Amino acid sequence: EQAGGLFAEPQPAPRALEAARRTLSAALAELRATADAASGEWWQRALPQERVVQAEQCGHRTLAATVRRQGAHSWDGARTTEDVRP
């Protein structure tokens, strides 16, 4: 939600995008670790794997969009080799 909210802004701050990317990356890793740990506990009811996979896919799509958006900002105002005089 944090990363997705930044996409509504026309020019989100690069630091905000980076923070959202890091938070989302950590959350995806934690989701996978938790799902793996829970699936090994025989006394627990089975996890809804489809929901876990859907959440991971949604998170990875948002993560990719965040990285693309960061890349777009890193090129704003960037100089090309044609701009540099020998």
Side-chain angles (χ1 to χ4, degrees), residues 1-7 9 15-17 19-21 23-24 62:
E1 289 179 11
Q2 178 188 6
L6 289 173
F7 296 135
E9 298 178 18
R15 288 189 179 163
L17 281 172
R21 185 192 64 78
T23 300
L24 182 54
T62 303

Side-chain angles (χ1 to χ4, degrees), residues 45-54:
R45 189 172 47 150
L47 284 176
Q49 287 298 318
E50 186 175 311
R51 287 185 61 199
V52 172
V53 169
Q54 286 175 347

